[in-house]
Amino acid sequence: MTDRTSPSPASPGSPGSPSPHTSVAAPPHRPVRQLLAASVGNAVEWYDWYAYTFLATYIAAEVFPRSADNSLVPLLSTFAVFAVGFFMRPVGGLLMGAVADRHGRRAALTVTILLMGGSSLLVGLTPTYAAVGVLAPVVLVLARLLQGLSVGGEFAASTTFLVESAGPGRRGLFSSFQYVSTSIGQLIASGVSALLVSVLGDGQMDGWGWRIPFLAGALLSLVGFWIRQGAQETRSADHHRPGLFDALRQYPRQSLLIGGITAGGTLAYYTWTSYLPTYAELNTGIDKSDALLVGTVSLGFFALLQPVGGLLSDRFGRKPLLLFFGLGFALLSVPLLHSLSGSVLSLLLVQCGGMVLLTGFTSISAAVNAEVFPARVRAAGIGFPYSLTVALFGGTAPYMGTLFKEIGHSGLFPWYVAALCLVSSAVYLRLPESAHRELER
């Protein structure tokens, strides 16, 4: 399928128009290799990120002991687990996005995979509180800083790299692999963690077993680094390298637009893929192991849906899928979450049903974001507002759900999800269709 329309002439520097300093390059000649380079690295990044989530209780027992006399320990524990990871992501999106815009997408992808490998190694080698005292949580906080920086930068760089690697009429398909690889990383982290727990037991997991996934993650990062060395650069030569804040300063409306596009999607994503098993436990009493099993099955189903959504958007446009997601969640979040009954079948149907709707956003968010900004500031333009919105709305989804439960109004959380998705739907209605427009490279 080829692009059916070309963008109308626009003033230099406006979204969708070529920069006066940038030439328009053709898509890379080896799109499958490009897809593999972005996807493998992204899967490794998210494997490391989710491994920390799954093994946090074992890490806390060794690094943040409850019996510690030093008042800094619980403070650092709270800061590391709940704040550092997510709120370093906007910084990573800005810094690594600027690297991608100034020095090329490959350079940024190389830095992010090495940062993640280094942070994973640092987590795996973190000393215990018993051995070095308060230095132990300090080392772990540093590792989480690096992880957050890397994950935020990875999205900025890999989003632009994936979309710019696509041939005509295939940007939606390539975009979908952003969440395919994220889901694969999450599934591997979950599987490895569950296998270690079942084989080693709590005693050995507390002692040294929790370190294994992070040491393995450091090795996997080297594999991702090697694969990315063979990737082809997608950024055309630019005689004027953009400044760190050029995207925010020159394109404030587009920056706000990224936030509006992302807000409902990131809340729905983290609610349905990460928090829903816990929400079901808190509100229906379903067994934890059953909830986690349903979550794993649903995540595999979700990964399979992504290319379908990407292909549909290439054929019919981005707006129909975005509105399918936004209005679907605005109308159905409350009845879906209120229909949970505590049975495995009920949770499976609710989670899979929500993931069908969610695919309307996740499968094409990379393409939609990339189509908002011109090439010279595309990575930084996407990276900062996207990661900041994820930190504000996606990262706080479990906290908000638990907060509503604690104040005795758990039924308000579904309305919160519906309201934010309705806000994003209003943004989608005003978006110009960009699926069949030529992408500046």
Side-chain angles (χ1 to χ4, degrees), residues 95-228:
L95 294 179
M96 292 299 103
V99 170
D101 289 332
R102 290 173 62 88
H103 303 289
R105 316 312 188 202
R106 271 187 54 187
L109 290 171
T110 298
V111 174
T112 58
I113 197 74
L114 291 178
L115 272 176
M116 183 56 78
S119 64
S120 188
L121 182 63
L122 195 57
V123 173
L125 298 179
T126 297
T128 64
Y129 186 85
V132 299
V134 74
L135 181 61
V138 170
V139 170
L140 190 60
V141 167
L142 176 60
R144 288 292 284 172
L145 283 168
L146 292 175
Q147 278 190 326
L149 195 71
S150 175
V151 169
E154 174 69 18
F155 185 88
S158 64
T159 291
T160 52
F161 181 82
L162 268 174
V163 177
E164 290 171 354
S165 295
R170 287 292 178 264
R171 294 198 300 266
L173 175 62
F174 272 55
S175 168
S176 71
F177 280 85
Q178 186 79 33
Y179 279 90
V180 170
S181 53
T182 297
S183 300
I184 289 172
Q186 187 173 351
L187 286 168
I188 294 173
S190 175
V192 168
S193 302
L195 179 63
L196 284 172
V197 170
S198 64
V199 172
L200 298 179
D202 287 342
Q204 290 175 308
M205 281 298 296
D206 285 332
W208 52 270
W210 62 268
R211 300 179 185 274
I212 294 175
F214 299 104
L215 298 177
L219 292 176
L220 288 173
S221 296
L222 293 178
V223 175
F225 170 78
W226 174 74
I227 291 174
R228 285 182 167 179

